[in-house]
PDB file of all heavy atoms in Angstrom:
ATOM      1  N   GLU A   1     162.484 -33.156 144.849  1.00 92.00           N
ATOM      2  CA  GLU A   1     162.387 -33.269 146.303  1.00 92.00           C
ATOM      3  C   GLU A   1     163.487 -34.155 146.879  1.00 92.00           C
ATOM      4  O   GLU A   1     163.463 -34.464 148.070  1.00 92.00           O
ATOM      5  CB  GLU A   1     161.008 -33.829 146.679  1.00 92.00           C
ATOM      6  CG  GLU A   1     159.880 -32.903 146.283  1.00 92.00           C
ATOM      7  CD  GLU A   1     158.513 -33.523 146.513  1.00 92.00           C
ATOM      8  OE1 GLU A   1     158.445 -34.689 146.969  1.00 92.00           O
ATOM      9  OE2 GLU A   1     157.525 -32.837 146.230  1.00 92.00           O
ATOM     10  N   HIS A   2     164.459 -34.571 146.058  1.00 92.00           N
ATOM     11  CA  HIS A   2     165.606 -35.387 146.462  1.00 92.00           C
ATOM     12  C   HIS A   2     165.163 -36.680 147.145  1.00 92.00           C
ATOM     13  O   HIS A   2     165.637 -37.040 148.217  1.00 92.00           O
ATOM     14  CB  HIS A   2     166.551 -34.598 147.379  1.00 92.00           C
ATOM     15  CG  HIS A   2     167.074 -33.349 146.753  1.00 92.00           C
ATOM     16  ND1 HIS A   2     167.976 -33.375 145.718  1.00 92.00           N
ATOM     17  CD2 HIS A   2     166.799 -32.036 146.998  1.00 92.00           C
ATOM     18  CE1 HIS A   2     168.246 -32.134 145.359  1.00 92.00           C
ATOM     19  NE2 HIS A   2     167.546 -31.296 146.116  1.00 92.00           N
ATOM     20  N   ARG A   3     164.248 -37.383 146.543  1.00 90.00           N
ATOM     21  CA  ARG A   3     163.811 -38.681 147.052  1.00 90.00           C
ATOM     22  C   ARG A   3     163.801 -39.673 145.895  1.00 90.00           C
ATOM     23  O   ARG A   3     163.914 -39.301 144.734  1.00 90.00           O
ATOM     24  CB  ARG A   3     162.432 -38.595 147.718  1.00 90.00           C
ATOM     25  CG  ARG A   3     161.317 -38.134 146.831  1.00 90.00           C
ATOM     26  CD  ARG A   3     159.992 -38.053 147.599  1.00 90.00           C
ATOM     27  NE  ARG A   3     158.988 -37.380 146.817  1.00 90.00           N
ATOM     28  CZ  ARG A   3     158.188 -37.987 145.932  1.00 90.00           C
ATOM     29  NH1 ARG A   3     158.289 -39.283 145.758  1.00 90.00           N
ATOM     30  NH2 ARG A   3     157.300 -37.304 145.247  1.00 90.00           N
ATOM     31  N   GLU A   4     163.684 -40.946 146.258  1.00 88.00           N
ATOM     32  CA  GLU A   4     163.666 -42.003 145.259  1.00 88.00           C
ATOM     33  C   GLU A   4     162.401 -41.918 144.420  1.00 88.00           C
ATOM     34  O   GLU A   4     161.316 -41.688 144.966  1.00 88.00           O
ATOM     35  CB  GLU A   4     163.708 -43.378 145.936  1.00 88.00           C
ATOM     36  CG  GLU A   4     165.073 -43.750 146.461  1.00 88.00           C
ATOM     37  CD  GLU A   4     166.055 -44.039 145.344  1.00 88.00           C
ATOM     38  OE1 GLU A   4     165.673 -44.706 144.369  1.00 88.00           O
ATOM     39  OE2 GLU A   4     167.201 -43.574 145.464  1.00 88.00           O
ATOM     40  N   PRO A   5     162.513 -42.110 143.114  1.00 84.00           N
ATOM     41  CA  PRO A   5     161.302 -42.128 142.280  1.00 84.00           C
ATOM     42  C   PRO A   5     160.467 -43.362 142.620  1.00 84.00           C
ATOM     43  O   PRO A   5     161.007 -44.384 143.055  1.00 84.00           O
ATOM     44  CB  PRO A   5     161.823 -42.183 140.850  1.00 84.00           C
ATOM     45  CG  PRO A   5     163.243 -42.568 140.949  1.00 84.00           C
ATOM     46  CD  PRO A   5     163.721 -42.241 142.324  1.00 84.00           C
ATOM     47  N   PRO A   6     159.168 -43.284 142.449  1.00 81.00           N
ATOM     48  CA  PRO A   6     158.307 -44.431 142.768  1.00 81.00           C
ATOM     49  C   PRO A   6     158.569 -45.592 141.816  1.00 81.00           C
ATOM     50  O   PRO A   6     158.900 -45.404 140.652  1.00 81.00           O
ATOM     51  CB  PRO A   6     156.892 -43.882 142.588  1.00 81.00           C
ATOM     52  CG  PRO A   6     157.049 -42.739 141.659  1.00 81.00           C
ATOM     53  CD  PRO A   6     158.405 -42.155 141.927  1.00 81.00           C
ATOM     54  N   LYS A   7     158.442 -46.785 142.358  1.00 82.00           N
ATOM     55  CA  LYS A   7     158.597 -47.985 141.533  1.00 82.00           C
ATOM     56  C   LYS A   7     157.320 -48.199 140.746  1.00 82.00           C
ATOM     57  O   LYS A   7     156.222 -48.163 141.293  1.00 82.00           O
ATOM     58  CB  LYS A   7     158.854 -49.217 142.410  1.00 82.00           C
ATOM     59  CG  LYS A   7     160.112 -49.115 143.216  1.00 82.00           C
ATOM     60  CD  LYS A   7     161.308 -49.229 142.324  1.00 82.00           C
ATOM     61  CE  LYS A   7     162.564 -49.155 143.186  1.00 82.00           C
ATOM     62  NZ  LYS A   7     163.739 -48.924 142.413  1.00 82.00           N
ATOM     63  N   LEU A   8     157.466 -48.377 139.462  1.00 71.00           N
ATOM     64  CA  LEU A   8     156.300 -48.584 138.603  1.00 71.00           C
ATOM     65  C   LEU A   8     155.954 -50.061 138.555  1.00 71.00           C
ATOM     66  O   LEU A   8     156.832 -50.919 138.504  1.00 71.00           O
ATOM     67  CB  LEU A   8     156.569 -48.062 137.193  1.00 71.00           C
ATOM     68  CG  LEU A   8     156.824 -46.570 137.087  1.00 71.00           C
ATOM     69  CD1 LEU A   8     157.150 -46.209 135.649  1.00 71.00           C
ATOM     70  CD2 LEU A   8     155.617 -45.800 137.556  1.00 71.00           C
ATOM     71  N   GLU A   9     154.684 -50.339 138.570  1.00 77.00           N
ATOM     72  CA  GLU A   9     154.223 -51.713 138.476  1.00 77.00           C
ATOM     73  C   GLU A   9     154.287 -52.165 137.022  1.00 77.00           C
ATOM     74  O   GLU A   9     153.905 -51.436 136.118  1.00 77.00           O
ATOM     75  CB  GLU A   9     152.783 -51.812 138.972  1.00 77.00           C
ATOM     76  CG  GLU A   9     152.607 -51.447 140.419  1.00 77.00           C
ATOM     77  CD  GLU A   9     151.147 -51.446 140.827  1.00 77.00           C
ATOM     78  OE1 GLU A   9     150.311 -51.969 140.057  1.00 77.00           O
ATOM     79  OE2 GLU A   9     150.859 -50.923 141.899  1.00 77.00           O
ATOM     80  N   GLU A  10     154.781 -53.374 136.846  1.00 79.00           N
ATOM     81  CA  GLU A  10     154.816 -53.944 135.503  1.00 79.00           C
ATOM     82  C   GLU A  10     153.409 -54.395 135.135  1.00 79.00           C
ATOM     83  O   GLU A  10     152.710 -54.981 135.962  1.00 79.00           O
ATOM     84  CB  GLU A  10     155.766 -55.142 135.451  1.00 79.00           C
ATOM     85  CG  GLU A  10     157.212 -54.763 135.624  1.00 79.00           C
ATOM     86  CD  GLU A  10     157.751 -53.984 134.445  1.00 79.00           C
ATOM     87  OE1 GLU A  10     157.339 -54.270 133.301  1.00 79.00           O
ATOM     88  OE2 GLU A  10     158.567 -53.088 134.677  1.00 79.00           O
ATOM     89  N   PRO A  11     152.973 -54.124 133.925  1.00 74.00           N
ATOM     90  CA  PRO A  11     151.640 -54.589 133.517  1.00 74.00           C
ATOM     91  C   PRO A  11     151.594 -56.113 133.455  1.00 74.00           C
ATOM     92  O   PRO A  11     152.598 -56.761 133.179  1.00 74.00           O
ATOM     93  CB  PRO A  11     151.435 -53.969 132.138  1.00 74.00           C
ATOM     94  CG  PRO A  11     152.799 -53.643 131.664  1.00 74.00           C
ATOM     95  CD  PRO A  11     153.650 -53.408 132.876  1.00 74.00           C
ATOM     96  N   GLU A  12     150.442 -56.655 133.725  1.00 79.00           N
ATOM     97  CA  GLU A  12     150.270 -58.100 133.672  1.00 79.00           C
ATOM     98  C   GLU A  12     150.446 -58.587 132.242  1.00 79.00           C
ATOM     99  O   GLU A  12     149.922 -57.995 131.306  1.00 79.00           O
ATOM    100  CB  GLU A  12     148.864 -58.486 134.137  1.00 79.00           C
ATOM    101  CG  GLU A  12     148.642 -58.350 135.609  1.00 79.00           C
ATOM    102  CD  GLU A  12     147.252 -58.831 135.997  1.00 79.00           C
ATOM    103  OE1 GLU A  12     146.680 -59.683 135.282  1.00 79.00           O
ATOM    104  OE2 GLU A  12     146.750 -58.332 136.996  1.00 79.00           O
ATOM    105  N   GLU A  13     151.173 -59.672 132.128  1.00 79.00           N
ATOM    106  CA  GLU A  13     151.324 -60.272 130.802  1.00 79.00           C
ATOM    107  C   GLU A  13     150.266 -61.346 130.656  1.00 79.00           C
ATOM    108  O   GLU A  13     150.223 -62.285 131.437  1.00 79.00           O
ATOM    109  CB  GLU A  13     152.714 -60.860 130.624  1.00 79.00           C
ATOM    110  CG  GLU A  13     153.780 -59.823 130.455  1.00 79.00           C
ATOM    111  CD  GLU A  13     155.095 -60.436 130.023  1.00 79.00           C
ATOM    112  OE1 GLU A  13     155.097 -61.526 129.411  1.00 79.00           O
ATOM    113  OE2 GLU A  13     156.114 -59.820 130.308  1.00 79.00           O
ATOM    114  N   LYS A  14     149.452 -61.185 129.685  1.00 77.00           N
ATOM    115  CA  LYS A  14     148.417 -62.182 129.421  1.00 77.00           C
ATOM    116  C   LYS A  14     149.025 -63.276 128.558  1.00 77.00           C
ATOM    117  O   LYS A  14     149.677 -62.994 127.558  1.00 77.00           O
ATOM    118  CB  LYS A  14     147.237 -61.534 128.704  1.00 77.00           C
ATOM    119  CG  LYS A  14     146.583 -60.458 129.535  1.00 77.00           C
ATOM    120  CD  LYS A  14     145.475 -59.781 128.769  1.00 77.00           C
ATOM    121  CE  LYS A  14     144.898 -58.646 129.601  1.00 77.00           C
ATOM    122  NZ  LYS A  14     143.925 -57.873 128.855  1.00 77.00           N
ATOM    123  N   PRO A  15     148.845 -64.524 128.967  1.00 78.00           N
ATOM    124  CA  PRO A  15     149.440 -65.598 128.169  1.00 78.00           C
ATOM    125  C   PRO A  15     148.806 -65.644 126.787  1.00 78.00           C
ATOM    126  O   PRO A  15     147.593 -65.566 126.641  1.00 78.00           O
ATOM    127  CB  PRO A  15     149.130 -66.866 128.973  1.00 78.00           C
ATOM    128  CG  PRO A  15     147.986 -66.492 129.851  1.00 78.00           C
ATOM    129  CD  PRO A  15     148.089 -65.012 130.095  1.00 78.00           C
ATOM    130  N   GLY A  16     149.655 -65.723 125.786  1.00 78.00           N
ATOM    131  CA  GLY A  16     149.173 -65.768 124.408  1.00 78.00           C
ATOM    132  C   GLY A  16     148.958 -67.198 123.958  1.00 78.00           C
ATOM    133  O   GLY A  16     149.340 -68.160 124.613  1.00 78.00           O
ATOM    134  N   GLN A  17     148.333 -67.335 122.853  1.00 79.00           N
ATOM    135  CA  GLN A  17     148.060 -68.654 122.293  1.00 79.00           C
ATOM    136  C   GLN A  17     149.191 -69.004 121.334  1.00 79.00           C
ATOM    137  O   GLN A  17     149.518 -68.253 120.419  1.00 79.00           O
ATOM    138  CB  GLN A  17     146.733 -68.639 121.551  1.00 79.00           C
ATOM    139  CG  GLN A  17     146.374 -69.967 120.946  1.00 79.00           C
ATOM    140  CD  GLN A  17     145.064 -69.892 120.180  1.00 79.00           C
ATOM    141  OE1 GLN A  17     144.458 -68.838 120.081  1.00 79.00           O
ATOM    142  NE2 GLN A  17     144.650 -71.017 119.626  1.00 79.00           N
ATOM    143  N   LEU A  18     149.822 -70.149 121.573  1.00 80.00           N
ATOM    144  CA  LEU A  18     150.878 -70.615 120.689  1.00 80.00           C
ATOM    145  C   LEU A  18     150.251 -71.341 119.517  1.00 80.00           C
ATOM    146  O   LEU A  18     149.353 -72.155 119.683  1.00 80.00           O
ATOM    147  CB  LEU A  18     151.829 -71.550 121.433  1.00 80.00           C
ATOM    148  CG  LEU A  18     152.619 -70.911 122.573  1.00 80.00           C
ATOM    149  CD1 LEU A  18     153.461 -71.969 123.260  1.00 80.00           C
ATOM    150  CD2 LEU A  18     153.492 -69.793 122.062  1.00 80.00           C
ATOM    151  N   VAL A  19     150.746 -71.039 118.335  1.00 81.00           N
ATOM    152  CA  VAL A  19     150.200 -71.637 117.130  1.00 81.00           C
ATOM    153  C   VAL A  19     151.314 -72.381 116.413  1.00 81.00           C
ATOM    154  O   VAL A  19     152.398 -71.843 116.207  1.00 81.00           O
ATOM    155  CB  VAL A  19     149.612 -70.541 116.196  1.00 81.00           C
ATOM    156  CG1 VAL A  19     149.096 -71.143 114.924  1.00 81.00           C
ATOM    157  CG2 VAL A  19     148.533 -69.768 116.914  1.00 81.00           C
ATOM    158  N   ASP A  20     151.033 -73.621 116.036  1.00 87.00           N
ATOM    159  CA  ASP A  20     151.969 -74.378 115.223  1.00 87.00           C
ATOM    160  C   ASP A  20     151.752 -73.939 113.778  1.00 87.00           C
ATOM    161  O   ASP A  20     150.750 -74.273 113.148  1.00 87.00           O
ATOM    162  CB  ASP A  20     151.716 -75.873 115.391  1.00 87.00           C
ATOM    163  CG  ASP A  20     152.705 -76.714 114.599  1.00 87.00           C
ATOM    164  OD1 ASP A  20     153.655 -76.156 114.022  1.00 87.00           O
ATOM    165  OD2 ASP A  20     152.530 -77.948 114.565  1.00 87.00           O
ATOM    166  N   LEU A  21     152.696 -73.156 113.260  1.00 90.00           N
ATOM    167  CA  LEU A  21     152.527 -72.576 111.930  1.00 90.00           C
ATOM    168  C   LEU A  21     152.476 -73.635 110.829  1.00 90.00           C
ATOM    169  O   LEU A  21     151.713 -73.504 109.877  1.00 90.00           O
ATOM    170  CB  LEU A  21     153.646 -71.582 111.647  1.00 90.00           C
ATOM    171  CG  LEU A  21     153.634 -70.329 112.525  1.00 90.00           C
ATOM    172  CD1 LEU A  21     154.822 -69.443 112.189  1.00 90.00           C
ATOM    173  CD2 LEU A  21     152.347 -69.572 112.347  1.00 90.00           C
ATOM    174  N   MET A  22     153.289 -74.679 110.962  1.00 89.00           N
ATOM    175  CA  MET A  22     153.274 -75.714 109.922  1.00 89.00           C
ATOM    176  C   MET A  22     151.942 -76.454 109.907  1.00 89.00           C
ATOM    177  O   MET A  22     151.411 -76.761 108.845  1.00 89.00           O
ATOM    178  CB  MET A  22     154.431 -76.702 110.132  1.00 89.00           C
ATOM    179  CG  MET A  22     155.780 -76.126 109.753  1.00 89.00           C
ATOM    180  SD  MET A  22     155.864 -75.490 108.067  1.00 89.00           S
ATOM    181  CE  MET A  22     155.682 -76.982 107.129  1.00 89.00           C
ATOM    182  N   ALA A  23     151.372 -76.714 111.093  1.00 89.00           N
ATOM    183  CA  ALA A  23     150.077 -77.395 111.146  1.00 89.00           C
ATOM    184  C   ALA A  23     148.988 -76.503 110.560  1.00 89.00           C
ATOM    185  O   ALA A  23     148.112 -76.978 109.830  1.00 89.00           O
ATOM    186  CB  ALA A  23     149.741 -77.774 112.588  1.00 89.00           C
ATOM    187  N   ALA A  24     149.061 -75.200 110.881  1.00 90.00           N
ATOM    188  CA  ALA A  24     148.068 -74.271 110.346  1.00 90.00           C
ATOM    189  C   ALA A  24     148.180 -74.171 108.827  1.00 90.00           C
ATOM    190  O   ALA A  24     147.167 -74.142 108.118  1.00 90.00           O
ATOM    191  CB  ALA A  24     148.247 -72.894 110.983  1.00 90.00           C
ATOM    192  N   LEU A  25     149.402 -74.135 108.316  1.00 91.00           N
ATOM    193  CA  LEU A  25     149.616 -74.062 106.871  1.00 91.00           C
ATOM    194  C   LEU A  25     149.128 -75.330 106.184  1.00 91.00           C
ATOM    195  O   LEU A  25     148.461 -75.270 105.148  1.00 91.00           O
ATOM    196  CB  LEU A  25     151.094 -73.824 106.561  1.00 91.00           C
ATOM    197  CG  LEU A  25     151.480 -73.746 105.098  1.00 91.00           C
ATOM    198  CD1 LEU A  25     150.761 -72.597 104.413  1.00 91.00           C
ATOM    199  CD2 LEU A  25     152.966 -73.603 104.935  1.00 91.00           C
ATOM    200  N   SER A  26     149.442 -76.470 106.765  1.00 89.00           N
ATOM    201  CA  SER A  26     148.998 -77.733 106.174  1.00 89.00           C
ATOM    202  C   SER A  26     147.475 -77.806 106.132  1.00 89.00           C
ATOM    203  O   SER A  26     146.889 -78.235 105.130  1.00 89.00           O
ATOM    204  CB  SER A  26     149.544 -78.915 106.973  1.00 89.00           C
ATOM    205  OG  SER A  26     150.949 -78.955 106.883  1.00 89.00           O
ATOM    206  N   GLY A  27     146.825 -77.381 107.218  1.00 89.00           N
ATOM    207  CA  GLY A  27     145.365 -77.370 107.249  1.00 89.00           C
ATOM    208  C   GLY A  27     144.785 -76.447 106.203  1.00 89.00           C
ATOM    209  O   GLY A  27     143.789 -76.768 105.531  1.00 89.00           O
ATOM    210  N   SER A  28     145.412 -75.286 106.037  1.00 90.00           N
ATOM    211  CA  SER A  28     144.954 -74.321 105.050  1.00 90.00           C
ATOM    212  C   SER A  28     145.092 -74.876 103.627  1.00 90.00           C
ATOM    213  O   SER A  28     144.205 -74.714 102.791  1.00 90.00           O
ATOM    214  CB  SER A  28     145.751 -73.028 105.188  1.00 90.00           C
ATOM    215  OG  SER A  28     145.424 -72.121 104.172  1.00 90.00           O
ATOM    216  N   VAL A  29     146.204 -75.551 103.376  1.00 88.00           N
ATOM    217  CA  VAL A  29     146.434 -76.135 102.048  1.00 88.00           C
ATOM    218  C   VAL A  29     145.412 -77.230 101.779  1.00 88.00           C
ATOM    219  O   VAL A  29     144.849 -77.324 100.679  1.00 88.00           O
ATOM    220  CB  VAL A  29     147.882 -76.666 101.937  1.00 88.00           C
ATOM    221  CG1 VAL A  29     148.066 -77.524 100.691  1.00 88.00           C
ATOM    222  CG2 VAL A  29     148.864 -75.512 101.926  1.00 88.00           C
ATOM    223  N   GLN A  30     145.144 -78.052 102.783  1.00 87.00           N
ATOM    224  CA  GLN A  30     144.164 -79.133 102.599  1.00 87.00           C
ATOM    225  C   GLN A  30     142.779 -78.574 102.310  1.00 87.00           C
ATOM    226  O   GLN A  30     142.070 -79.072 101.439  1.00 87.00           O
ATOM    227  CB  GLN A  30     144.129 -80.021 103.837  1.00 87.00           C
ATOM    228  CG  GLN A  30     145.348 -80.911 103.968  1.00 87.00           C
ATOM    229  CD  GLN A  30     145.336 -81.720 105.251  1.00 87.00           C
ATOM    230  OE1 GLN A  30     144.495 -81.530 106.115  1.00 87.00           O
ATOM    231  NE2 GLN A  30     146.289 -82.637 105.361  1.00 87.00           N
ATOM    232  N   LYS A  31     142.385 -77.519 103.019  1.00 89.00           N
ATOM    233  CA  LYS A  31     141.070 -76.905 102.786  1.00 89.00           C
ATOM    234  C   LYS A  31     140.981 -76.317 101.383  1.00 89.00           C
ATOM    235  O   LYS A  31     139.971 -76.452 100.689  1.00 89.00           O
ATOM    236  CB  LYS A  31     140.793 -75.815 103.815  1.00 89.00           C
ATOM    237  CG  LYS A  31     140.454 -76.343 105.175  1.00 89.00           C
ATOM    238  CD  LYS A  31     140.208 -75.192 106.134  1.00 89.00           C
ATOM    239  CE  LYS A  31     140.012 -75.680 107.555  1.00 89.00           C
ATOM    240  NZ  LYS A  31     139.868 -74.571 108.504  1.00 89.00           N
ATOM    241  N   ALA A  32     142.062 -75.650 100.955  1.00 88.00           N
ATOM    242  CA  ALA A  32     142.063 -75.037  99.627  1.00 88.00           C
ATOM    243  C   ALA A  32     141.973 -76.101  98.540  1.00 88.00           C
ATOM    244  O   ALA A  32     141.225 -75.957  97.573  1.00 88.00           O
ATOM    245  CB  ALA A  32     143.311 -74.183  99.441  1.00 88.00           C
ATOM    246  N   ARG A  33     142.729 -77.183  98.705  1.00 85.00           N
ATOM    247  CA  ARG A  33     142.693 -78.254  97.698  1.00 85.00           C
ATOM    248  C   ARG A  33     141.341 -78.952  97.683  1.00 85.00           C
ATOM    249  O   ARG A  33     140.848 -79.320  96.625  1.00 85.00           O
ATOM    250  CB  ARG A  33     143.804 -79.250  97.960  1.00 85.00           C
ATOM    251  CG  ARG A  33     145.166 -78.717  97.582  1.00 85.00           C
ATOM    252  CD  ARG A  33     146.229 -79.757  97.748  1.00 85.00           C
ATOM    253  NE  ARG A  33     147.506 -79.256  97.272  1.00 85.00           N
ATOM    254  CZ  ARG A  33     148.643 -79.911  97.388  1.00 85.00           C
ATOM    255  NH1 ARG A  33     148.664 -81.100  97.961  1.00 85.00           N
ATOM    256  NH2 ARG A  33     149.756 -79.390  96.931  1.00 85.00           N
ATOM    257  N   ALA A  34     140.752 -79.152  98.863  1.00 85.00           N
ATOM    258  CA  ALA A  34     139.445 -79.805  98.938  1.00 85.00           C
ATOM    259  C   ALA A  34     138.380 -78.941  98.269  1.00 85.00           C
ATOM    260  O   ALA A  34     137.488 -79.452  97.594  1.00 85.00           O
ATOM    261  CB  ALA A  34     139.075 -80.073 100.396  1.00 85.00           C
ATOM    262  N   SER A  35     138.492 -77.616  98.433  1.00 86.00           N
ATOM    263  CA  SER A  35     137.503 -76.732  97.808  1.00 86.00           C
ATOM    264  C   SER A  35     137.609 -76.740  96.287  1.00 86.00           C
ATOM    265  O   SER A  35     136.643 -76.496  95.595  1.00 86.00           O
ATOM    266  CB  SER A  35     137.653 -75.308  98.343  1.00 86.00           C
ATOM    267  OG  SER A  35     138.845 -74.721  97.875  1.00 86.00           O
ATOM    268  N   ARG A  36     138.818 -77.038  95.759  1.00 84.00           N
ATOM    269  CA  ARG A  36     139.011 -77.117  94.312  1.00 84.00           C
ATOM    270  C   ARG A  36     138.791 -78.528  93.793  1.00 84.00           C
ATOM    271  O   ARG A  36     138.861 -78.749  92.586  1.00 84.00           O
ATOM    272  CB  ARG A  36     140.425 -76.661  93.958  1.00 84.00           C
ATOM    273  CG  ARG A  36     140.687 -75.193  94.205  1.00 84.00           C
ATOM    274  CD  ARG A  36     142.016 -74.773  93.620  1.00 84.00           C
ATOM    275  NE  ARG A  36     143.119 -75.561  94.173  1.00 84.00           N
ATOM    276  CZ  ARG A  36     144.092 -75.089  94.941  1.00 84.00           C
ATOM    277  NH1 ARG A  36     144.108 -73.821  95.256  1.00 84.00           N
ATOM    278  NH2 ARG A  36     145.055 -75.867  95.379  1.00 84.00           N
ATOM    279  N   GLY A  37     138.600 -79.493  94.708  1.00 79.00           N
ATOM    280  CA  GLY A  37     138.378 -80.864  94.287  1.00 79.00           C
ATOM    281  C   GLY A  37     139.653 -81.601  93.957  1.00 79.00           C
ATOM    282  O   GLY A  37     139.637 -82.621  93.281  1.00 79.00           O
ATOM    283  N   GLU A  38     140.787 -81.127  94.434  1.00 74.00           N
ATOM    284  CA  GLU A  38     142.067 -81.775  94.177  1.00 74.00           C
ATOM    285  C   GLU A  38     142.369 -82.785  95.270  1.00 74.00           C
ATOM    286  O   GLU A  38     141.700 -82.853  96.295  1.00 74.00           O
ATOM    287  CB  GLU A  38     143.192 -80.733  94.134  1.00 74.00           C
ATOM    288  CG  GLU A  38     143.073 -79.742  93.004  1.00 74.00           C
ATOM    289  CD  GLU A  38     144.184 -78.711  93.040  1.00 74.00           C
ATOM    290  OE1 GLU A  38     145.160 -78.895  93.785  1.00 74.00           O
ATOM    291  OE2 GLU A  38     144.062 -77.714  92.329  1.00 74.00           O
ATOM    292  N   ASP A  39     143.401 -83.577  95.057  1.00 67.00           N
ATOM    293  CA  ASP A  39     143.878 -84.521  96.057  1.00 67.00           C
ATOM    294  C   ASP A  39     144.340 -83.725  97.282  1.00 67.00           C
ATOM    295  O   ASP A  39     145.101 -82.761  97.158  1.00 67.00           O
ATOM    296  CB  ASP A  39     145.042 -85.333  95.483  1.00 67.00           C
ATOM    297  CG  ASP A  39     145.558 -86.370  96.459  1.00 67.00           C
ATOM    298  OD1 ASP A  39     144.803 -86.759  97.371  1.00 67.00           O
ATOM    299  OD2 ASP A  39     146.727 -86.788  96.295  1.00 67.00           O
ATOM    300  N   THR A  40     143.897 -84.118  98.465  1.00 56.00           N
ATOM    301  CA  THR A  40     144.196 -83.325  99.661  1.00 56.00           C
ATOM    302  C   THR A  40     145.388 -83.848 100.436  1.00 56.00           C
ATOM    303  O   THR A  40     145.611 -83.463 101.561  1.00 56.00           O
ATOM    304  CB  THR A  40     142.976 -83.296 100.609  1.00 56.00           C
ATOM    305  OG1 THR A  40     142.654 -84.626 100.982  1.00 56.00           O
ATOM    306  CG2 THR A  40     141.819 -82.594  99.968  1.00 56.00           C
ATOM    307  N   GLU A  41     146.180 -84.730  99.840  1.00 63.00           N
ATOM    308  CA  GLU A  41     147.340 -85.267 100.544  1.00 63.00           C
ATOM    309  C   GLU A  41     148.454 -84.222 100.586  1.00 63.00           C
ATOM    310  O   GLU A  41     148.824 -83.650  99.567  1.00 63.00           O
ATOM    311  CB  GLU A  41     147.838 -86.523  99.839  1.00 63.00           C
ATOM    312  CG  GLU A  41     148.963 -87.216 100.571  1.00 63.00           C
ATOM    313  CD  GLU A  41     149.410 -88.461  99.830  1.00 63.00           C
ATOM    314  OE1 GLU A  41     148.557 -89.140  99.228  1.00 63.00           O
ATOM    315  OE2 GLU A  41     150.604 -88.736  99.848  1.00 63.00           O
ATOM    316  N   VAL A  42     148.966 -83.974 101.780  1.00 59.00           N
ATOM    317  CA  VAL A  42     150.068 -83.031 101.956  1.00 59.00           C
ATOM    318  C   VAL A  42     151.276 -83.827 102.405  1.00 59.00           C
ATOM    319  O   VAL A  42     151.219 -84.589 103.358  1.00 59.00           O
ATOM    320  CB  VAL A  42     149.715 -81.944 103.008  1.00 59.00           C
ATOM    321  CG1 VAL A  42     150.897 -81.016 103.229  1.00 59.00           C
ATOM    322  CG2 VAL A  42     148.503 -81.164 102.566  1.00 59.00           C
ATOM    323  N   HIS A  43     152.387 -83.677 101.720  1.00 67.00           N
ATOM    324  CA  HIS A  43     153.605 -84.423 102.023  1.00 67.00           C
ATOM    325  C   HIS A  43     154.440 -83.665 103.038  1.00 67.00           C
ATOM    326  O   HIS A  43     154.487 -82.438 103.044  1.00 67.00           O
ATOM    327  CB  HIS A  43     154.427 -84.657 100.743  1.00 67.00           C
ATOM    328  CG  HIS A  43     153.658 -85.392  99.698  1.00 67.00           C
ATOM    329  ND1 HIS A  43     153.425 -86.738  99.776  1.00 67.00           N
ATOM    330  CD2 HIS A  43     153.043 -84.970  98.560  1.00 67.00           C
ATOM    331  CE1 HIS A  43     152.712 -87.118  98.726  1.00 67.00           C
ATOM    332  NE2 HIS A  43     152.472 -86.061  97.971  1.00 67.00           N
ATOM    333  N   GLU A  44     155.129 -84.424 103.884  1.00 71.00           N
ATOM    334  CA  GLU A  44     156.019 -83.832 104.879  1.00 71.00           C
ATOM    335  C   GLU A  44     157.263 -83.293 104.181  1.00 71.00           C
ATOM    336  O   GLU A  44     157.759 -83.880 103.215  1.00 71.00           O
ATOM    337  CB  GLU A  44     156.428 -84.871 105.918  1.00 71.00           C
ATOM    338  CG  GLU A  44     155.300 -85.306 106.826  1.00 71.00           C
ATOM    339  CD  GLU A  44     154.862 -84.202 107.765  1.00 71.00           C
ATOM    340  OE1 GLU A  44     155.712 -83.439 108.251  1.00 71.00           O
ATOM    341  OE2 GLU A  44     153.644 -84.091 107.995  1.00 71.00           O
TER     342      GLU A  44
END
């Protein structure tokens, strides 16, 4: 029809949850060691 195409609306972006991967890994290691009865100290 020789007219401008309609402008499409951008979908809303839902804010995601940021995760500190090193903190999550350290927590996971501590839980695993505690379940085995090992020393739960994690070094930087």
Side-chain angles (χ1 to χ4, degrees):
E1 296 174 359
H2 302 290
R3 60 181 169 87
E4 284 290 318
K7 298 289 181 194
L8 297 177
E9 297 175 13
E10 292 291 325
E12 287 183 26
E13 287 191 25
K14 298 177 184 174
Q17 180 182 2
L18 296 177
V19 178
D20 182 6
L21 294 178
M22 286 305 294
L25 179 61
S26 295
S28 174
V29 168
Q30 287 176 353
K31 286 179 186 176
R33 286 185 175 175
S35 70
R36 293 189 302 246
E38 296 178 12
D39 182 22
T40 59
E41 185 180 325
V42 177
H43 302 284
E44 291 291 322

